[in-house]
Amino acid sequence: MNEKEPNIQDAMMREMKDKKSFDKAQAYAYEYLEEVFDRQVFPQEKALKELSHFEEEMPSESKEATEIIDFLNKYGAPATMAQLGGRYFGFVNGSAVPAGLAAKNLATYWDQNTALQVISPLAAKLESVVEKWLIDLFQFPKSTVAGFVSGTSSANLCGLAAARYRLLERLGWDVNKKGLFNAPKLRVVANQHAHASVIKALGILGFGKESIEWVATDDQGRILPELLPNLDAQTIVILQAGNVNSGAFDDFETICTKAQNAQAWVHIDGAFGLWARTVDQLEYLTKGMEKANSWAVDGHKTLNTPYDSGIILCRDKEAIVAALHMTGSYIILGQERDGMFYTPEMSRRARIIELWATLKYLGKNGINQMIYGLHKRAVQFGKELSKLNGFNVLNDIVFNQVVVCCETDELTEKTLARIQKQGVCWVGGSSWQGKKVIRISVCSWATTEEDVLRSVQSFATAFREVE
Ligand SMILES: *Cc1c(COP(=O)(O)O)cnc(C)c1O
């Protein structure tokens, strides 16, 4: 090294001590919080254009950390979606509870890796505490274990991997040792509207898409139980707690009972809907789901933890650990919990900290109130839209999803584009029952009655402009 060059280690240590870049980041974050609830939801044209500032050659020289933070804030912040606010209804994406954000902020400086108890005793402790809390909240069997993953896509993969392991093991086939070629055939029975992440997980696990036995549904997206094929001990059944468009829930009581009698494995994709079980007024939607074998759920949707937070819950600890286990000569096992045995990853950030903080902050009553609030706002949205000229609500609003369309696909698409451009709110499109639709997902704790009214107003204006 040239002695005249600035020493990067010294520079970084100075930065850690005087904290200028940290102070800046904090100040910018607070500015953002001041604005995000009122600003246009989708970034303005100018902000999108200015993203081109990020397109540069990999720099050769190091810079001041404060310079990096200034640059990031200047061109980054305006190009974000105001997802934290109350008028973002896109996909099924939550906001973040303040205590969760604050805890994440603090934990950022701890930079913990949750692979093993010996790497982070704190993270291991919080994972085992939250595992117990979730079993209590969802009233799942005492044997249930939890893996803390990046989202429901990953959770679905873990649950289905556990199912694959267990069903083959019962047939005398150790899939970890022998693989899938020449293995006894397993069957997969799934809701015709299963989420794309389920299909992706099945693909990764070696179940071809064409081998899935799809079960037809009613007009809300619920499996028609009488159309269920015969189930047996070689079958994985995949059900939904919350259809990604309509929010509908399968009839768990009937289907899980049949599956249990046949010794089939039931996996429930409850990415956002599983939380209905924690709400007194909505719990009926989830009746019988405790009879399933594995459940996938997100923290970052209806529970409003920061991204990224998903959970796999599995009543068969041996199966999930066998499916996700890994070893190495350097691995030191903890006395209590080593998180990596319940997840595909080894190193993971300690997302458990935000999940723990969110649950502890809200408590059971807070969760009940917050999630029931999402339902009430969705119902309000549906009612207000039904009063408007030109819109037709297509689903029963059982949870937080509203599916709406105009008279023709063309009108629906044009109206949707106008709404997105106006920036008062942001909603996405989808297809439902052969029609183009606008899909509204009320997923943010911050959404008020006023936010719904302003958004509905934007729908009305958009429709008048394209009609
Ligand atoms: C969002 C969603 C998923 C995927 O979850 P990610 O957290 O985005 O990985 C799976 N199933 C359903 C029903 C969903 O809504």
Side-chain angles (χ1 to χ4, degrees), residues 31-32 35 70 84 88 92 114 119 199 209 211 215 237 315 317 319 333 336 407 412 415 429:
E31 256 171 43
Y32 189 80
E35 289 167 5
D70 285 340
L84 211 54
Y88 174 75
V92 188
T114 321
I119 303 179
I199 300 167
K209 204 163 155 182
S211 70
V215 191
V237 182
R315 73 155 72 214
K317 175 177 175 178
L333 296 187
E336 287 178 45
E407 202 161 330
T412 303
T415 306

Side-chain angles (χ1 to χ4, degrees), residues 240-429:
Q240 295 197 104
N243 173 286
V244 76
N245 289 312
S246 70
F249 291 66
D250 279 324
D251 175 354
F252 305 117
E253 185 65 39
T254 306
I255 303 170
C256 292
T257 304
K258 271 192 190 171
Q260 226 174 19
N261 292 337
Q263 292 192 299
W265 180 292
V266 178
H267 174 79
I268 298 178
D269 175 359
F272 61 96
L274 210 75
W275 294 102
R277 198 163 168 85
T278 65
V279 180
D280 294 339
Q281 301 89 334
L282 302 174
E283 194 191 347
Y284 74 96
L285 294 165
T286 69
K287 192 163 175 282
M289 74 151 54
E290 68 284 354
K291 297 190 177 86
N293 301 76
S294 54
W295 307 263
V297 60
D298 273 323
H300 56 222
K301 290 180 176 170
T302 22
L303 185 65
N304 281 244
T305 67
Y307 280 90
D308 47 8
S309 180
I311 307 152
I312 176 63
L313 292 152
C314 181
R315 73 155 72 214
D316 185 340
K317 175 177 175 178
E318 194 185 278
I320 190 162
V321 172
L324 302 174
H325 193 88
M326 62 164 280
T327 54
S329 53
Y330 59 90
I331 284 171
I332 307 168
L333 296 187
Q335 298 291 314
E336 287 178 45
R337 184 191 162 93
D338 293 302
M340 71 177 209
F341 293 131
Y342 307 87
T343 59
E345 307 91 342
M346 185 175 189
S347 298
R348 278 174 306 138
R349 70 181 191 85
R351 56 174 67 93
I352 190 64
I353 293 172
E354 303 101 78
L355 180 56
W356 166 85
T358 302
L359 293 172
K360 186 171 164 77
Y361 167 73
L362 290 171
K364 287 182 182 175
N365 289 338
I367 293 173
N368 194 331
Q369 198 188 111
M370 179 180 77
I371 296 177
Y372 191 51
L374 305 179
H375 172 66
K376 286 194 292 192
R377 293 292 85 78
V379 170
Q380 182 199 352
F381 225 126
K383 274 204 187 117
E384 295 294 334
L385 284 173
S386 306
K387 287 191 227 158
L388 287 187
N389 186 26
F391 293 96
N392 199 356
V393 175
L394 295 178
N395 67 321
D396 298 337
I397 303 169
V398 294
F399 195 39
N400 67 327
Q401 303 286 113
V402 185
V403 178
V404 61
C405 69
C406 304
E407 202 161 330
T408 63
D409 282 357
E410 197 195 341
L411 260 182
T412 303
E413 285 187 320
K414 279 189 175 160
T415 306
L416 173 60
R418 282 301 311 169
I419 297 168
Q420 289 175 342
K421 210 165 163 76
Q422 281 173 18
V424 174
C425 65
W426 201 92
V427 287

Side-chain angles (χ1 to χ4, degrees), residues 71-87:
F71 187 91
L72 176 62
N73 187 63
K74 182 169 179 192
Y75 298 115
T80 58
M81 177 76 94
Q83 208 171 310
L84 211 54
R87 279 171 282 105

